[in-house]
Amino acid sequence: MYPENLVAPMRQDLTVAGFQELTDEAAVSQLLEKHEGTTLVVVNSVCGCAAGAARPGVKLALQNSSKKPTVLATVFAGVDKEATNKAREYMLPYPPSSPSMALFKDGQLVHFLERHHIEGRSAQMIAQHLVQVFEEYC
């Protein structure tokens, strides 16, 4: 677990952009069980690719897409362990990955961006990919 004073700015990077923070299992279940519409869940992380590509990329995609997920949510790997583990149950069959992004439509996982899709790519590349995903599913 990381100290809260270290992760607070990383949490805020998404929450100020409109992401709902899920910090326990119940919140994850309540959001993802039988939810209608589209939900984007970002598994946040303290790693460099989260700071340099994942968080900036998702925010850029949301600014530049004509279609957006109905709900934006985030769990924080290495901090909110129970919430993250519960979210990852909904992301199966994909292995645990952080950072990562999962798009659900009507409660079904329709797209998943694993760490290896994020790592080594620019925020602009992530954003372009997500805009295409949003246009297709949202």
Side-chain angles (χ1 to χ4, degrees):
M1 298 289 273
Y2 297 98
E4 185 57 35
N5 63 335
L6 172 74
V7 300
M10 298 173 207
R11 287 182 188 274
Q12 292 170 350
D13 199 14
L14 291 177
T15 58
V16 299
F19 283 80
Q20 172 186 349
E21 198 163 26
L22 308 174
T23 58
D24 59 45
E25 287 184 37
V28 172
S29 294
Q30 184 178 9
L31 180 70
L32 295 178
E33 284 293 318
K34 301 178 183 173
H35 182 268
E36 292 184 18
T38 52
T39 302
L40 178 66
V41 178
V42 174
V43 178
N44 202 352
S45 173
V46 298
C47 72
C49 58
R55 291 191 304 265
V58 72
K59 292 186 304 183
L60 191 58
L62 292 168
Q63 293 170 359
N64 292 304
S65 182
S66 62
K67 295 183 178 181
K68 296 174 181 62
T70 310
V71 175
L72 304 172
T74 182
V75 294
F76 208 117
V79 179
D80 300 318
K81 189 174 182 176
E82 291 177 3
T84 303
N85 289 341
K86 188 65 174 177
R88 286 176 170 157
E89 289 178 18
Y90 292 92
M91 297 171 187
L92 290 172
Y94 296 97
S97 180
S98 54
S100 61
M101 300 176 200
L103 184 67
F104 298 87
K105 184 169 186 171
D106 299 330
Q108 299 297 313
L109 180 64
V110 294
H111 191 80
F112 191 70
L113 206 59
E114 297 178 80
R115 178 187 175 104
H116 71 267
H117 297 124
I118 297 168
E119 200 171 34
R121 290 177 175 77
S122 69
Q124 291 78 14
M125 291 173 73
I126 301 299
Q128 288 173 344
H129 177 81
L130 288 172
V131 166
Q132 291 174 347
V133 171
F134 297 164
E135 293 295 321
E136 181 176 350
Y137 293 107
C138 296

